[in-house]
Amino acid sequence: MESVSEQRRSALHRVSTEYGDVVLNERTGAYWHLNESASRVLAVLERGGSQDDAVADLVQTYGIDADRARADIEAISGELRRLGAL
């Protein structure tokens, strides 16, 4: 039997576009546009990475300060959880 989080994830579909990823919730019909950095964060977290892993990815990719990356990731993660994407 699938857990609630597995059921939620199976209802989500992500498609990459030149403008970032689009995530569709098949059950509700809701969709969200993710910019490049939010797409990177979601990819790290979906692979089982931690927020620290996502911080390291953003710091390496964009050369930003780790504190700034962590604040951004906390905001992105909170929004993704609220939307049911995590």
Side-chain angles (χ1 to χ4, degrees):
M1 178 171 213
E2 284 185 317
S3 71
V4 171
S5 111
E6 288 169 329
Q7 290 171 1
R8 185 179 306 155
R9 285 190 196 133
S10 68
L12 297 175
H13 304 281
R14 183 163 39 150
V15 176
S16 294
T17 73
E18 64 184 286
Y19 304 107
D21 288 359
V22 175
V23 178
L24 168 68
N25 184 324
E26 186 178 286
R27 284 195 199 126
T28 66
Y31 66 94
W32 309 278
H33 174 259
L34 305 178
N35 65 20
E36 184 180 335
S37 59
S39 295
R40 293 185 72 86
V41 169
L42 181 57
V44 168
L45 298 175
E46 283 179 330
R47 288 192 307 265
S50 67
Q51 285 193 354
D52 288 338
D53 296 327
V55 167
D57 182 71
L58 292 187
V59 167
Q60 180 180 11
T61 301
Y62 300 109
I64 61 174
D65 177 79
D67 290 334
R68 173 58 192 248
R70 186 170 309 285
D72 289 351
I73 288 165
E74 289 173 5
I76 292 166
S77 296
E79 185 66 10
L80 291 171
R81 281 188 190 88
R82 185 183 75 75
L83 297 171
L86 282 180

